Amino acid sequence: MKTKNSGKRVSSSSFLEDKTVLITGGTGSFGQNLAQHLLSTRVRKIILFSRDELKQYEMRHRFGDDARLRFFIGDIRDLARLRRAFQDVDFVFHAAALKQVPSCEYNPYEAVKTNILGAQNIIEAAIDCSVSRVIALSTDKAVNPVNLYGATKLVHEKLFVDGNAYVGGRPTRFSVVRYGNVMGSRGSVIPLFIEKKRAGVIPVTDKRMTRFWISMDRVISFVLHCLFNMRGGEIFVPKIPSMRIVDLARVIAPEAKIEFTGIRPGEKLSELLIHADESRHVKEYDDFFVILPAASPFLDVMWEGGGTLPEGFVYSSDKNTEWITLEEMRSLVRPFLAAAEVVKSAG
C-alpha cells in the first residue's frame, strides 16, 4: 500500500469560528466530549439535541453557564422538531442511535425507527434548512453485518452517502465517519470488566476475539478533520490499532478468573472496517482511508493525492498490522480504574 499525504489538517479555531454546531445524541459520550472540545474554540453556538431531560440537566450542571451552550429536547424520529432545531445551523454531527446489540435484537422496530428512519429525517431536515455540512457517525459493525444494529447502521451509511443526490442547488453535503470501539464509552467493555473485577470473575466470550480500539480524543480530532476535509459522499476510516479482548481482561483484573462464556448471537470474532468489495474505491493516506462512492467519479479527482489499495484488501481487526501492547493497554485503562476507585470509595 502506498500513501502520498494526509490531506489538509483541521484548524478548529479558524474553521469553526462564528459557526453554529448541532450534535444529535448530544448528551452521549461522544456529544459531551465534542461539546467540551468545541467550547475551547471560537464557535458561536453549540446545540445539544437529545431526548433525555435528566442527562441534559446533568450536563448543564457539569458544563456551567457558558452562553454558547443550548439544550434542545427532541427525538430524531420527529422531522418537524429537527427542522426547528436545524434553523441557522452550519454543521451537524449526527451521533444519536440505538447501539446496544441485544437491545436492538429484542426491539428491532425501534432500532429501525431511530437508526434508519431517524437518519432519513436528519437528511431531509438538513437539506430543508440549508445546513452546510453533516457528519454521521458509523461503526465497524456496519461492515458485513451479522446483527440488526450493524444492519441498521449499514443502511444509515447508504442513506447519508446517497443523500448528496437529493440536495439539488442547496449547499448541504453529507459524509460518514466509520470507526471501532471507543475506549471507555458508555456501555463499552472497560466499565463492564471493571465492574466484574469486584466479583473476581471476568466473562470473556472467546479467547480469539479481537476488536479495533480508539480513544475518545482521537475520535474527536478525527471527526473534526473529516468535517474540514469532506466534499460529500465519503466514508472516512481512521487507521487504528487492534486488541485482544482476553488481554484487556487480564490487564484490568490480573488476579481474577477468566470465564469463557461462548460467542453471543449477533457477535463476531473479529470486526471489519473495510471489506474487500470496498477496497477498489478507497484512497489511502498516512493515518486514514477514504471510501469513495462508486457513482461519483468527480470525488476521485478531488481525492487524487491518496494511494490505492490492492484488489481484495480487507481491513480486519484480527489481521491488523498495528496492535496495542499490554503495556500500552495498562496505561490506557489506568484512568478508568482510578475513576472507578474514586466512585467506590465515595459510595
Side-chain angles (χ1 to χ4, degrees):
M1 294 178 289
K2 302 291 186 182
T3 61
K4 296 184 180 180
N5 60 62
S6 294
K8 295 180 290 183
R9 287 300 172 183
V10 66
S11 173
S12 297
S13 59
S14 59
F15 186 61
L16 296 167
E17 184 172 356
D18 204 34
K19 295 295 193 297
T20 294
V21 173
L22 183 143
I23 310 168
T24 71
T27 54
S29 300
F30 172 83
Q32 294 202 36
N33 281 276
L34 177 59
Q36 184 77 62
H37 174 84
L38 292 175
L39 287 173
S40 68
T41 72
R42 297 178 182 177
V43 69
R44 180 171 69 240
K45 187 190 302 182
I46 306 165
I47 302 171
L48 288 311
F49 186 97
S50 78
R51 60 185 183 177
D52 195 316
E53 180 185 22
L54 175 60
K55 288 178 186 173
Q56 288 197 7
Y57 168 80
E58 293 171 344
M59 190 172 173
R60 184 183 290 112
H61 180 73
R62 175 188 164 200
F63 279 65
D65 297 324
D66 194 305
R68 293 175 294 170
L69 281 177
R70 310 294 173 84
F71 292 87
F72 206 109
I73 295 286
D75 195 316
I76 62 171
R77 300 181 183 186
D78 185 342
L79 178 56
R81 188 62 169 163
L82 283 172
R83 286 192 177 120
R84 178 70 66 189
F86 282 15
Q87 293 295 321
D88 301 319
V89 167
D90 296 294
F91 305 139
V92 169
F93 297 92
H94 176 42
L98 293 181
K99 66 176 188 176
Q100 296 299 317
V101 170
S103 178
C104 289
E105 294 293 318
Y106 189 71
N107 303 280
Y109 292 176
E110 301 306 305
V112 168
K113 288 175 186 176
T114 295
N115 296 352
I116 297 178
L117 300 182
Q120 180 180 348
N121 287 340
I122 295 286
I123 293 165
E124 294 190 8
I127 295 172
D128 292 345
C129 297
S130 294
V131 172
S132 175
R133 302 186 184 197
V134 179
I135 284 279
L137 304 189
S138 190
T139 168
D140 50 10
K141 292 172 181 59
V143 185
N144 290 351
V146 297
N147 54 56
L148 185 69
Y149 168 59
T152 61
K153 294 301 276 188
L154 170 62
V155 176
H156 159 278
E157 285 189 358
K158 299 292 187 183
L159 287 172
F160 278 100
V161 168
D162 295 332
N164 292 280
Y166 288 85
V167 300
R170 306 255 183 170
T172 310
R173 295 294 180 267
F174 303 97
S175 291
V176 174
V177 176
R178 179 197 291 170
Y179 50 82
N181 291 25
V182 181
M183 198 172 304
S185 62
R186 189 177 300 157
S188 72
V189 72
I190 288 179
L192 172 65
F193 282 178
I194 291 175
E195 178 187 347
K196 296 296 184 181
K197 175 183 179 180
R198 298 168 189 162
V201 178
I202 304 292
V204 175
T205 53
D206 193 292
K207 66 180 179 181
R208 298 166 294 172
M209 185 166 288
T210 61
R211 289 294 181 266
F212 288 106
W213 216 248
I214 186 170
S215 70
M216 183 61 76
D217 287 345
R218 175 79 194 284
V219 169
I220 299 301
S221 64
F222 185 68
V223 168
L224 289 173
H225 171 75
C226 296
L227 179 75
F228 184 58
N229 284 279
M230 63 178 279
R231 280 77 162 176
E234 307 95 338
I235 299 176
F236 295 93
V237 178
K239 292 182 179 180
I240 52 179
S242 293
M243 63 168 296
R244 294 175 179 83
I245 297 298
V246 68
D247 290 341
L248 177 65
R250 287 169 177 150
V251 164
I252 289 177
E255 72 289 348
K257 175 186 175 184
I258 294 178
E259 182 179 86
F260 294 105
T261 58
I263 195 166
R264 297 174 296 184
E267 201 170 39
K268 297 180 182 179
L269 285 177
S270 59
E271 296 285 3
L272 291 172
L273 276 171
I274 299 174
H275 64 73
D277 291 326
E278 291 177 311
S279 61
R280 66 179 64 95
H281 306 298
V282 173
K283 295 289 187 177
E284 184 185 12
Y285 294 86
D286 290 345
D287 51 8
F288 66 98
F289 302 94
V290 183
I291 305 172
L292 303 177
S296 297
F298 74 93
L299 279 178
D300 286 324
V301 176
M302 300 182 79
W303 286 96
E304 62 182 355
T308 57
L309 299 179
E311 186 75 19
F313 171 84
V314 172
Y315 192 24
S316 172
S317 63
D318 63 334
K319 295 178 174 63
N320 201 351
T321 58
E322 183 182 359
W323 290 80
I324 301 177
T325 67
L326 292 179
E327 192 54 43
E328 288 171 336
M329 214 176 291
R330 291 187 187 97
S331 177
L332 291 169
V333 303
R334 195 171 293 125
F336 300 103
L337 290 168
E341 285 302 315
V342 170
V343 171
K344 181 180 177 182
S345 58

